[in-house]
Amino acid sequence: MKNKIFDDPEFQKLLTQIIEEQIPFCRLLGMKVHSLEPDSPALTLTMKPELLGNFAQGMLHGGVIASVLDSVAGVAILLKLAQQQPKEDVFSQLREFGLMSTIDLRIDYLKPGKGQSFTANAEVTRLGKRVANVLMTLRNEQNELVATGAAAFMLHERN
Amino acid sequence: MKNKIFDDPEFQKLLTQIIEEQIPFCRLLGMKVHSLEPDSPALTLTMKPELLGNFAQGMLHGGVIASVLDSVAGVAILLKLAQQQPKEDVFSQLREFGLMSTIDLRIDYLKPGKGQSFTANAEVTRLGKRVANVLMTLRNEQNELVATGAAAFMLHERN
Amino acid sequence: MKNKIFDDPEFQKLLTQIIEEQIPFCRLLGMKVHSLEPDSPALTLTMKPELLGNFAQGMLHGGVIASVLDSVAGVAILLKLAQQQPKEDVFSQLREFGLMSTIDLRIDYLKPGKGQSFTANAEVTRLGKRVANVLMTLRNEQNELVATGAAAFMLHERN
Amino acid sequence: MKNKIFDDPEFQKLLTQIIEEQIPFCRLLGMKVHSLEPDSPALTLTMKPELLGNFAQGMLHGGVIASVLDSVAGVAILLKLAQQQPKEDVFSQLREFGLMSTIDLRIDYLKPGKGQSFTANAEVTRLGKRVANVLMTLRNEQNELVATGAAAFMLHERN
């Protein structure tokens, strides 16, 4: 029996490559795929000096946090689409990633972004025909909630 | 007669150095100071491959846009503080920059982030005792409105 | 020569009736149409005791402010649609009002909602095929900026 | 042994009276207290014609949803304050309710607000010295997630 696309090792391998190597800004920040589970995928980020917003205090720049939460939201939507609206093949499915775009993003900064590594999770709260909504969280390696986010994305459209 | 701090060339020179060279993530992205006018300061960003969210389409990653809008919002607040609540010297004034933190941030993505250079402006809509609110815009070199933003910041506090 | 729809007195009269009388919650709050100019339409609201969130302090409830800003955003989109994508007749145009829905809304509360009357304005910053973005403001009769807002709306769709 | 304030029946009775009877706009909408549990308090709202944004479709106005989510967020903060920073008596504790104010609010509208009754829950994600952050949800009687929200509040301050 054929794997479902979102469980297909080839799909997961290619999606990991896209995020970690082919999206230039995700690569610049060093985002890594931690889980591609459709209900709560996770990206991780390792602290490095270039990501600091404040050298003295050793805190991530708020823009880094926004970047990883925006990215994990997109991944969550792609996986939900693969689960609920599977395409005929892996490449058609991955193509959806390039056809979605963030409508808007809200980040709540709860704690200073201090830590050695950070995990971003996302949950799709609505997958509509044209628009999807997502809630996100960022935790550090001590499992402290550093930030939460909410985003709306447009689906299936060339900008 | 003594310059007001926000007009003081030394203040402006040091603030420019902080943004362009000393905040690691601002430096990584290549943010430059374009104007330090308190009512509408501006940062600029030049397109480069590492900032792309989508290579094929040549668009800035949404996180880049969030980063520069968050940054210009902080600059706008620092300048308003310098104008309305001047400290005794340049260094005390600049110290306020490290004592503010983003409470939350909303970005509306209006157009794909395509272009050669981008200008981020910010306007402080409230400067309270503890909290400030800011509205931000990002335009490309053709003066197209690429994104708008809204943020709330906490003032004068160590996290 | 035929009027353009957004300038058509019948269109304006019917739209005013819809807002002031036919949308039950707008009527409950007492929203009135002040301007139907497509670039910056305005609704007004008169203070009354039922709208208070805090009796002692005489401030509008935050939900009242969200309600009028959400409403004026929808009016602004309807007028931009009428200006830029005119339908063949007034009724088809007004039907668009029932086919749009708020994706998300952000309100920044800048000053306590004190005053005798309040004016809400909205500006459409993007009118896409499927999604529109709007910025909103609320001012009291002393022209103090009480709140700003940002919203995204879905167009042309039955929920 | 004395009750903790947040468990004190008198505190709970007075807080219920404030929400259901003394805050005029909450009373106008018909908000009722369902739970005063500090980790996830709940308000309920019963559908009635005046709350509709669209008569034909029978949907709550978006502003009604914003109103109840803003209100339940404030209740959640008051209860967390009572739990974590108890005052010497019930009245001092209740006084905090009038000293907090919404900084900003984001609502994501996930499904049309259709149903007979609605339950709003809130969870405080940060209780700082000056600022608190809250996440909120609204569900209808079929337990469908109608909307989510995020808010930041200022504490302990007269506006």
Side-chain angles (χ1 to χ4, degrees), chain B residues 46-124:
Chain B
T46 301
M47 177 59 88
K48 51 182 186 174
E50 307 93 281
L51 303 184
L52 295 173
N54 185 313
F55 218 86
Q57 296 189 43
M59 292 161 45
L60 289 181
H61 191 284
V64 173
I65 292 172
S67 300
V68 67
L69 291 182
D70 182 34
S71 299
V72 77
V75 171
I77 294 169
L78 182 66
L79 292 167
K80 271 289 156 195
L81 286 172
Q83 187 185 45
Q84 298 190 3
Q85 304 171 23
K87 296 280 179 182
E88 56 287 358
D89 61 60
V90 164
F91 299 97
S92 306
Q93 199 71 57
L94 289 170
R95 202 172 144 268
E96 292 290 305
F97 209 35
L99 295 178
M100 65 178 70
S101 60
T102 316
I103 296 171
D104 58 52
L105 180 67
R106 169 174 171 141
I107 309 294
D108 290 276
Y109 297 96
L110 305 180
K111 274 183 184 292
K114 294 181 181 175
Q116 294 309 308
S117 74
F118 301 89
T119 303
N121 282 271
E123 178 195 1
V124 178

Side-chain angles (χ1 to χ4, degrees), chain A residues 70 73-74 77 100-103 130-134 151-155:
Chain A
D70 182 34
I77 294 169
M100 66 179 67
S101 60
T102 316
I103 296 171
R130 296 288 175 174
V131 172
N133 296 72
V134 193
F153 276 67
M154 214 175 316
L155 308 177

Side-chain angles (χ1 to χ4, degrees), chain A residues 13-32:
Chain A
K13 183 181 152 200
L14 288 170
L15 179 54
T16 300
Q17 277 179 9
I18 288 170
I19 297 162
E20 298 187 356
E21 295 171 35
Q22 290 172 26
I23 300 178
F25 193 62
C26 295
R27 182 176 179 168
L28 181 70
L29 269 57
M31 293 181 202
K32 299 293 174 192

Side-chain angles (χ1 to χ4, degrees), chain A residues 103-104 106 126 129-131 133 152 154 157-159, chain C residues 103-104 106 126 129-131 133 152 154 157-159:
Chain A
I103 296 171
D104 58 53
R106 171 175 169 140
R126 177 179 65 170
K129 276 172 298 178
R130 296 288 175 174
V131 172
N133 296 72
M154 214 175 316
E157 309 239 350
R158 238 173 231 309
N159 274 291
Chain C
I103 296 171
D104 57 53
R106 169 175 171 140
R126 176 178 66 170
K129 275 172 297 177
R130 296 285 175 178
V131 172
N133 296 73
M154 214 174 317
E157 311 237 350
R158 241 174 227 307
N159 276 292

